[in-house]
Amino acid sequence: MTLPNKVYDILKWVCLICFPALAYGYSALADVWGLPYADEIPETINIIAFVLGCLIGVSTLNYNKGNEAE
């Protein structure tokens, strides 16, 4: 599986910047405002970021394997 460049760039940004910031932000606000599931929601976001990171890594490996032949 190789992702198109635009999809790869978006997923990489979401995985490296957006999801960790969202998880940290929710965790911090949950403590301040007493929001529900202060541990569960950030952990879920981090798990999703991890899975997306794995998919991005597989796509990168497949892309690099395809370019070795050239």
Side-chain angles (χ1 to χ4, degrees), residues 1 4-5 12 14 18 22 24 28 31 33 35 38-40 44 47-49 53-55 57 59-60 63 65 69:
M1 172 185 87
N5 285 339
K12 187 173 177 184
V14 166
C18 185
L22 186 62
Y24 176 77
D31 290 341
W33 292 99
L35 298 174
D39 294 327
E40 292 85 351
T44 300
I47 290 168
I48 293 168
C54 290
L55 293 174
S59 178
T60 301
Y63 179 81
K65 283 182 185 177

Side-chain angles (χ1 to χ4, degrees), residues 10-27:
I10 291 170
L11 285 177
K12 187 173 177 184
W13 178 81
V14 166
C15 196
L16 293 176
I17 304 296
C18 185
F19 278 171
L22 186 62
Y24 176 77
Y26 186 86
S27 179

Side-chain angles (χ1 to χ4, degrees), residues 3 6 28 31 33 35 38 46 58 67:
L3 298 171
K6 186 166 181 94
D31 290 341
W33 292 99
L35 298 174
N46 287 328
V58 168
N67 284 339

